[in-house]
């Protein structure tokens, strides 16, 4: 097959015993063969369709209509033909998130060899599924698939000869809404700065150079917001003592350039942080002997101002001289009396 065939016949292939008789020759050949009677040459190139037994018929006839027929047999041996592209597959265009299903036509490639079979496979796009039983590709492309991708279609025949072509699959972007990826900060303590970095993700930034995000926030008066970068909002403020025990509603809204939005709603609770008590009274630091010393102790604690806290103040004395005593202790008010009378033996002594 596919090789030039040429055969020259002897000039005495037919002869007639009658002196002076003439022979006329008729040659019937397959389509791929031609016979040159002048050169007595049979020539041609057998293609795949000629594989097998081919018969050339020679008929010799004399002037008296006597004839003889000879069959010349040519056996064309098959040579494997590789698969060849018959029709180009369709280029596809779908939207992100759309279900894709496309069956590659069975005659995309053909093999001229009788009885030969070809097997299809695909490569080049990792998000494509391929059913080799039906030659069907399927997928549901996501945002990462947006754009033009080339799918390589490959076939192999029984003799491991391959051929390939490619088709393009265009995935058009469909706008996705922004998504909050930060967890809301819902608790802060008194007398501290509240700081919450609102972080938003929009996967369209990867495929849309024009994508933008717009923030708005419904905040209590002691909080403010400031945009940061393309996808963050910083909410900050000071939670003073007057905010302790209160709960504040906060709403943060973000929208993209095509109007899709997301909302994060939460409550901020300000918790009490225990404050140190402090003295509002100042003690006398000297006293004459045999005179009564009296120090009315007055303390304060900011936690007393909070109705949600049952705060108590406990007053005690360390390194107390024997002539002093602590009395009238009021743990609710944070008051007490330090009283006593020093004698002569206590004179000129400093007590810490």
């Amino acid at each position: 097959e596919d090789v030039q065939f040429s055969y020259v016949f002897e000039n005495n292939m037919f002869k007639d015993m009658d002196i002076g008789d003439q022979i006329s020759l008729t040659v019937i050949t397959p389509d791929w063969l031609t016979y040159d009677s002048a050169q007595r040459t049979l020539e041609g190139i057998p293609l795949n369709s000629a594989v097998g037994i081919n018969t050339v018929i020679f008929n010799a006839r004399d002037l008296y209509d006597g004839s003889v027929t000879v069959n010349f047999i040519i056996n064309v041996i098959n040579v494997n033909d590789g698969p060849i592209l018959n029709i180009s597959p369709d280029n596809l265009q779908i939207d992100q998130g759309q279900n894709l299903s496309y069956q590659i036509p069975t005659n995309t490639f053909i093999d001229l060899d009788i009885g030969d079979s070809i097997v299809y496979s695909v490569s080049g796009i990792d998000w494509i599924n391929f059913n080799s039983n039906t030659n069907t590709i399927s997928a549901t492309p996501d945002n990462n698939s947006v754009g033009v991708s080339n799918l390589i279609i490959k076939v192999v025949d029984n003799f491991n000869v391959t051929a390939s072509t490619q088709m393009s699959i265009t995935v058009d972007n469909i706008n996705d809404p922004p998504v909050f990826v930060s967890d809301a900060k819902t608790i802060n303590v008194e007398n501290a700065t509240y700081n919450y970095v609102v972080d938003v993700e929009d996967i369209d930034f990867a495929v849309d150079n024009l994508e933008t995000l717009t923030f708005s926030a419904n905040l209590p008066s002691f909080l403010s917001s400031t945009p940061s970068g393309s996808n963050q909002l910083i909410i900050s403020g000071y939670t003073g003592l007057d905010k302790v025990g209160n709960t504040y509603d906060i709403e943060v809204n973000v929208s993209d350039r095509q109007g899709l939005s997301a909302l994060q709603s939460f409550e901020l609770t300000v918790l009490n942080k225990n404050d140190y008590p402090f003295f509002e009274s100042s003690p006398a630091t000297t006293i004459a002997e045999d005179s009564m010393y009296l120090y009315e102790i007055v303390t304060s604690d900011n936690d007393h101002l909070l109705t949600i806290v049952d705060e108590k103040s406990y007053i005690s004395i360390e390194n107390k001289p024997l002539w002093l005593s602590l009395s009238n202790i009021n743990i609710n008010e944070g008051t007490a009396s330090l009283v006593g009378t020093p004698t002569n033996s206590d004179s000129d002594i400093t007590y810490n």
Side-chain angles (χ1 to χ4, degrees):
E1 173 192 347
D2 298 329
V3 177
Q4 175 73 36
F5 174 83
S6 180
Y7 186 83
V8 178
F9 293 93
E10 299 291 337
N11 60 0
N12 61 348
M13 184 175 66
F14 293 99
K15 65 179 181 179
D16 194 308
M17 303 299 295
D18 298 314
I19 297 173
D21 208 349
Q22 295 182 359
I23 299 174
S24 61
L25 184 64
T26 302
V27 181
I28 302 174
T29 66
D31 292 341
W32 60 273
L33 279 173
T34 58
Y35 179 70
D36 184 342
S37 59
Q39 302 296 325
R40 303 182 310 282
T41 302
L42 195 63
E43 290 183 331
I45 299 176
L47 302 180
N48 192 80
S49 58
V51 170
I53 300 301
N54 294 257
T55 302
V56 180
I57 301 174
F58 291 90
N59 179 266
R61 186 175 297 275
D62 64 12
L63 294 177
Y64 298 95
D65 208 28
S67 67
V68 63
T69 298
V70 174
N71 292 334
F72 183 75
I73 304 300
I74 303 173
N75 185 13
V76 177
I77 305 302
N78 181 64
V79 175
N80 183 60
D81 294 282
I84 58 174
L85 181 66
N86 183 45
I87 58 172
S88 296
D90 298 329
N91 293 322
L92 304 178
Q93 184 169 6
I94 59 172
D95 290 335
Q96 167 199 341
Q98 179 183 349
N99 291 329
L100 167 67
S101 181
Y102 174 75
Q103 186 175 34
I104 301 171
T106 56
N107 60 341
T108 299
F109 287 90
I110 58 174
D111 194 311
L112 298 177
D113 295 314
I114 298 174
D116 207 350
S117 61
I118 54 179
V119 177
Y120 283 76
S121 62
V122 300
S123 62
I125 303 179
D126 56 9
W127 48 267
I128 285 290
N129 300 311
F130 181 65
N131 186 330
S132 58
N133 294 322
T134 61
N135 293 339
T136 300
I137 60 173
S138 62
T140 304
D142 59 16
N143 196 80
N144 294 326
S145 308
V146 170
V148 180
S149 301
N150 290 320
L151 184 71
I152 299 172
I153 302 173
K154 180 181 177 180
V155 292
V156 58
D157 68 7
N158 293 346
F159 297 89
N160 209 33
V161 178
T162 64
S164 64
T165 187
Q166 69 178 28
M167 58 183 289
S168 68
I169 301 177
T170 301
V171 179
D172 295 325
N173 181 58
I174 297 298
N175 187 47
D176 297 279
V179 177
F180 287 92
V181 294
S182 57
D183 294 326
K185 184 178 180 181
T186 61
I187 294 176
N188 211 54
V189 296
E190 67 168 282
N191 297 330
T193 298
Y194 176 82
N195 193 75
Y196 169 38
V197 179
V198 182
D199 199 0
V200 174
E201 183 179 85
D202 190 328
I203 58 178
D204 290 317
F205 275 115
V207 295
D208 184 356
N209 294 330
L210 300 178
E211 183 65 298
T212 58
L213 295 178
T214 302
F215 288 91
S216 63
N218 183 17
L219 304 173
S221 59
F222 62 90
L223 294 179
S224 62
S225 62
T226 304
S228 175
S230 61
N231 65 323
Q232 290 183 336
L233 182 74
I234 300 176
I235 300 176
S236 60
Y238 188 76
T239 53
L241 181 64
D242 59 325
K243 307 300 187 296
V244 173
N246 295 326
T247 298
Y248 301 91
D249 293 325
I250 294 177
E251 289 185 347
V252 182
N253 183 277
V254 61
S255 58
D256 64 16
R257 72 181 185 91
Q258 296 189 42
L260 291 183
S261 62
L263 178 68
Q264 187 179 63
S265 300
F266 60 96
E267 292 182 341
L268 170 63
T269 300
V270 181
L271 300 180
N272 175 63
K273 181 180 69 173
N274 188 46
D275 295 288
Y276 286 100
F278 58 91
F279 287 90
E280 291 188 351
S281 59
S282 297
T285 58
T286 61
I287 187 65
E289 66 176 87
D290 298 325
S291 297
M292 187 181 72
Y293 179 86
L294 177 61
Y295 171 35
E296 297 290 353
I297 302 171
V298 179
T299 67
S300 186
D301 191 323
N302 286 334
D303 293 322
H304 280 298
L305 304 176
L306 303 173
T307 59
I308 63 172
V309 177
D310 185 18
E311 186 67 294
K312 307 291 184 183
S313 295
Y314 300 90
I315 300 173
S316 62
I317 294 179
E318 296 178 358
N319 302 323
K320 177 179 68 67
L322 295 177
W323 56 269
L324 274 178
S325 63
L326 187 66
S327 62
N328 300 325
I329 300 173
N330 188 328
I331 62 175
N332 293 315
E333 297 296 331
T335 59
S337 298
L338 186 62
V339 63
T341 302
T343 64
N344 181 262
S345 61
D346 300 311
S347 297
D348 297 325
I349 299 177
T350 299
Y351 300 95
N352 292 316

